[in-house]
Amino acid sequence: MSLSPHTTPSGFLLPSIHAAPPFFTLQPKAETQALVTEQWTRLILSYARHRRLFYLRVEDAEPPGSDWDEVLRNDRINRRLPPSHLSYILDDMVSKNKAMYEPVKQTRSVLLFWRLPEEWAEVLHDWASSTAQLNTILTFFEIVEPPVPSQLSGIPDTLLRRAISILTKTNRAQVIAVSDGEGVRFLAGNVSK
Amino acid sequence: MGGNQSVPKVTKQDRAILDLKLQRDKVKQYQKKIQAVLEREHEIAKQQLAAGNKGRALTTLRQRKYQESLLAKTDGQLENLEKLVSTIEFSMIEVSVLHGLQQGNEVLKQIHKEMNIESVEKLLEETQEAREYQREIDEMLANNLTSEDEEAVQLELQALQTEAVRFVLSLDSHL
């Protein structure tokens, strides 16, 4: 059997480890499992970035047909990641700030941080300043579904809010609330801090 | 700019713009919903027709037509909202342009204050005086020479002139 990288129909390059059957089973030895978890974390995040996926649910590992089939299953070696193993990996990712449970108070679904909220904050501010929208009042909807698609198109509300709250701490954004909803105004701020 | 600038105050205008934009977003979302319904109804009409329920298909299509008219109406509303938003944003730019012009005018005024006609005249007068003063000094220096000195100067001039003439002649003879 050959262990080799494989390109999926969506154009994602799976590493050769993805063709190794033991990779899919929870390892009894803690050190081995730590390595496996690390590999899975990296794989999940890069695939999420590739497809712009923000959520991963334990149930995505169950019946085929989810967005994650290409990664969570490998039909060429007849293996799939069991939900229990995925659940273990998600738990580890949350503990390492690579993801967060979303919604909170459950452990079946996570919001993936293939960009950390801090990094999203920079992307957000860069977008506002490069599209000349500093000092303009924007609605959240306008950011998530801009007329011209941007890196922020389709970003989940939770991430957007976290990014904005990071920017408000350095006076680079200001949240404005009215009875009907909320808006945000980005400010140039000072670069030093 | 620079330094520790703080967050600007939220004015009534800001709130008004935000309200307007939120309304606009709602219309947009509503349109999306109707669009989805339209597609779904089209499917349903097809299915009903295939199943031989001509009456049902017709009802569905009527509903669809109604939804379409709603969509057209919201298009008009959306346009109005968008126009209003851009008018406000443009007016805000105009305000800032006006502010800029005012400031420029202020600076120009200040510069003019420092450069009024009287002070220019005074300056010119002073220059004139200085020039006359210089001329007086020149004259005084010239008058200070004794007649002998003057004679020596004249002689030196003559010597230089003859030398120059000789030089020219020597050049000619070489040719």
Side-chain angles (χ1 to χ4, degrees), chain A residues 77-107:
Chain A
I77 56 164
N78 198 21
R79 281 289 183 283
R80 68 186 181 96
L81 189 69
S84 57
H85 192 180
L86 179 58
S87 171
Y88 177 90
I89 295 165
L90 295 187
D91 184 59
D92 185 76
M93 286 175 78
V94 170
S95 73
K96 289 181 178 142
N97 195 32
K98 307 259 189 209
M100 67 180 274
Y101 286 123
E102 160 82 12
V104 287
K105 289 182 184 156
Q106 50 82 44
T107 55

Side-chain angles (χ1 to χ4, degrees), chain A residues 142-164:
Chain A
E142 221 172 343
I143 298 170
V144 178
E145 290 189 32
V148 182
S150 78
Q151 289 207 58
L152 297 147
S153 298
I155 170 180
D157 213 40
T158 321
L159 262 184
L160 180 62
R161 277 171 197 278
R162 293 238 340 221
I164 289 175

Side-chain angles (χ1 to χ4, degrees), chain B residues 62-73:
Chain B
R62 277 203 196 102
Q63 267 176 7
R64 193 175 129 86
K65 200 79 206 155
Y66 174 67
Q67 301 273 9
E68 263 176 354
S69 72
L70 280 185
L71 194 61
K73 260 186 223 162

Side-chain angles (χ1 to χ4, degrees), chain A residues 137 139 142 145 174 180 190, chain B residues 3 7-8 21 23 25 32:
Chain A
I137 294 169
T139 60
E142 221 172 343
E145 290 189 32
Q174 175 187 30
D180 245 5
N190 27 18
Chain B
V7 178
K21 283 195 164 179
Q23 291 303 324
D25 291 352
K32 244 193 190 169

Side-chain angles (χ1 to χ4, degrees), chain A residues 122-142:
Chain A
E122 289 312 311
V123 172
L124 185 58
H125 197 267
D126 283 351
W127 169 77
S129 67
S130 68
T131 52
Q133 302 199 85
L134 291 180
N135 301 317
T136 315
I137 294 169
L138 298 168
T139 60
F140 289 179
F141 180 79
E142 221 172 343

Side-chain angles (χ1 to χ4, degrees), chain A residues 69-85:
Chain A
D69 282 357
E70 287 180 354
V71 167
L72 300 186
R73 312 175 75 83
N74 188 346
D75 293 333
R76 287 165 294 124
I77 56 164
N78 198 21
R79 281 289 183 283
R80 68 186 181 96
L81 189 69
S84 57
H85 192 180

